[in-house]
Amino acid sequence: MLTFEKVQTDEDIIECARLAAEIWNQHFISILSQEQIDYMVSQFQSEKALHDQIDKEGYTYYFFAADGKRIGYFGICPKDDNTMFLSKIYMKKSYRGNGYASKGFEFIKEQAKAHGCSKVWLTVNRHNEDSIAVYEHWGMKCDGVKTTEIGKGFIMDDYVYSYSVE
């Protein structure tokens, strides 16, 4: 059985950061250098970064829990333009392909509606073909390209995808 557990305590944040490091190193090693993975995890998925996003920036994180075992996570944040930013959605490699992410996206769409949002959107690395295929399967559409300098000479070279919430 799949459930979504809200990341709330310091222990939850520690576990979420640990999951981030594990999953990012599984998934992005074929797309990004190890140096960029380490930098991005440190900047965006460390305990401090997660605390700041939750406490100061309006993000909410959830674990994917399969039969009580935490197997992944996602982060969402309502924006001022009545959209929901899907900041992160990551699953351990051994649990991919089971429909869990699709169930998570249904939950995310419900959260968007509950916040009065008309759209869910995300950014995805342009070379992340597997994730792009999943997003397109969900009915998301590519709205354009976004290149962001993130420091230390690294850039995020992304597509922007969105889904209109009905």
Side-chain angles (χ1 to χ4, degrees):
M1 181 167 128
L2 183 71
T3 58
F4 308 107
E5 300 175 0
K6 190 173 181 179
V7 174
Q8 299 183 83
T9 67
D10 287 341
E11 291 78 20
D12 289 344
I13 289 172
I14 291 167
E15 184 169 358
C16 194
R18 185 196 55 73
L19 267 174
E22 176 184 344
I23 293 168
W24 273 62
N25 279 285
Q26 287 175 343
H27 186 72
F28 286 105
I29 197 66
S30 64
I31 299 170
L32 303 172
S33 70
Q34 185 65 56
E35 186 180 14
Q36 185 166 351
I37 291 168
D38 293 344
Y39 178 76
M40 291 181 72
V41 168
S42 171
Q43 292 298 303
F44 306 116
Q45 299 288 264
S46 65
E47 291 173 41
K48 181 188 180 325
L50 293 171
H51 266 292
D52 287 348
Q53 290 166 26
I54 292 168
D55 296 339
K56 300 175 185 174
E57 300 175 35
Y59 284 73
T60 305
Y61 278 85
Y62 294 88
F63 291 110
F64 287 97
D67 299 320
K69 182 176 182 181
R70 293 174 172 174
I71 60 169
Y73 67 100
F74 58 92
I76 55 177
C77 184
K79 297 296 182 179
D80 290 340
D81 61 356
N82 293 323
T83 64
M84 178 70 72
F85 179 45
L86 173 51
S87 174
K88 291 128 187 115
I89 183 165
Y90 299 113
M91 183 91 49
K92 286 184 177 186
K93 188 174 187 173
S94 60
Y95 290 92
R96 295 180 200 147
N98 292 314
Y100 294 152
S102 293
K103 289 177 183 174
F105 189 58
E106 291 301 315
F107 179 82
I108 291 161
K109 290 188 296 185
E110 291 171 14
Q111 293 299 305
K113 287 179 191 177
H115 283 88
C117 297
S118 60
K119 179 168 69 170
V120 174
W121 65 280
L122 56 82
T123 58
V124 57
N125 184 291
R126 288 201 266 174
H127 303 289
N128 194 345
E129 295 172 1
D130 292 341
S131 295
I132 290 168
V134 169
Y135 302 148
E136 290 178 349
H137 175 75
W138 292 345
M140 297 188 93
K141 303 292 182 206
C142 184
D143 293 334
V145 175
K146 182 177 183 179
T147 302
T148 308
E149 292 184 32
I150 58 171
K152 282 205 167 181
F154 296 120
I155 63 163
M156 292 193 309
D157 190 20
D158 295 332
Y159 289 123
V160 178
Y161 270 76
S162 68
Y163 182 92
S164 294
V165 179
E166 299 174 12

